[in-house]
Amino acid sequence: MNKTNILKKLRSSGLRPTKQRVEIAKFLFDREKTFHFTVESLNKLLSKKTTSKFALATIYNTVHAFKKAGHLNEVDVRGKKKTTYFDTNVSNHHHFYDTETAELIDIDEKEIVFEKIPKAPNGKKIKNLEVFINLKN
C-alpha cells in the first residue's frame, strides 16, 4: 500500500496524518494477509517492529477511528475472558479461534453453508451471520 492510500485511509477516518498514525496505518494495511490483533498486542508489535514510541491512547484512538470508518472489523471473542480483536479483513467471513494460542484464523464465507436461518424478531433484520469455531490441541 503506497503512502497516498495510507493518507486517504487516515483522512477518511477523520485522522490527521501524523508520523505515528502513518506508521500505525502502514503496519496494519501494508500486508498481503489478513491481520488480527488486540490493541495491546498491536502495541507490543509496534514497539518491536518500529523505532517510534507510541502512546497506548494513540493506538487505541487510531484503531477505533479506523473501525468507525469501516477499515477494520471488531471481533468479540468469548473464552476465559472476553477479548476484543480487530480484523483488517472487512468482508463477510468466519473464524476459527485457537483457545490455546488466542489466534483468530479466517474461514472464507463460502466454506460455511447455512441451510436454515431463524426469522429475525419483529422490527429487526439480520445484519450478518458469523460463525466461530473454537479449536484446541
Side-chain angles (χ1 to χ4, degrees):
M1 177 169 269
N2 65 30
K3 187 161 181 161
T4 303
N5 289 338
I6 294 286
L7 295 176
K8 281 181 185 176
K9 271 199 190 295
L10 285 163
R11 290 186 180 117
S12 70
S13 303
L15 296 171
R16 198 169 38 87
T18 64
K19 181 183 176 209
Q20 288 181 321
R21 288 177 180 150
V22 168
E23 281 190 65
I24 292 168
K26 189 165 176 45
F27 188 82
L28 290 176
F29 302 113
D30 193 12
R31 55 182 64 239
E32 288 182 29
K33 294 176 89 179
T34 298
F35 181 51
H36 301 101
F37 62 93
T38 65
V39 171
E40 293 78 15
S41 68
L42 179 59
N43 185 33
K44 288 178 188 172
L45 287 168
L46 286 168
S47 68
K48 288 180 188 174
K49 305 268 183 190
T50 65
T51 56
S52 299
K53 298 289 181 208
F54 299 90
L56 189 58
T58 300
I59 296 169
Y60 179 89
N61 292 334
T62 302
V63 165
H64 282 274
F66 284 145
K67 179 196 159 256
K68 187 176 177 182
H71 301 309
L72 294 172
N73 274 338
E74 188 171 332
V75 181
D76 289 327
V77 176
R78 287 166 183 76
K80 294 174 188 164
K81 63 177 186 157
K82 181 183 168 213
T83 305
T84 300
Y85 285 83
F86 293 90
D87 189 347
T88 58
N89 181 350
V90 294
S91 69
N92 278 340
H93 65 286
H94 312 285
H95 292 99
F96 287 114
Y97 179 66
D98 188 325
T99 57
E100 294 173 13
T101 64
E103 179 184 13
L104 278 180
I105 304 160
D106 285 348
I107 303 171
D108 188 283
E109 179 185 35
K110 296 175 192 98
E111 291 188 50
I112 303 286
V113 177
F114 296 100
E115 288 192 25
K116 185 173 180 190
I117 302 166
K119 185 178 172 191
N122 284 341
K124 300 289 182 179
K125 62 181 182 177
I126 295 172
K127 179 181 170 187
N128 69 339
L129 297 169
E130 188 172 353
V131 173
F132 272 82
I133 300 173
N134 291 315
L135 305 172
K136 69 177 188 172
N137 284 341

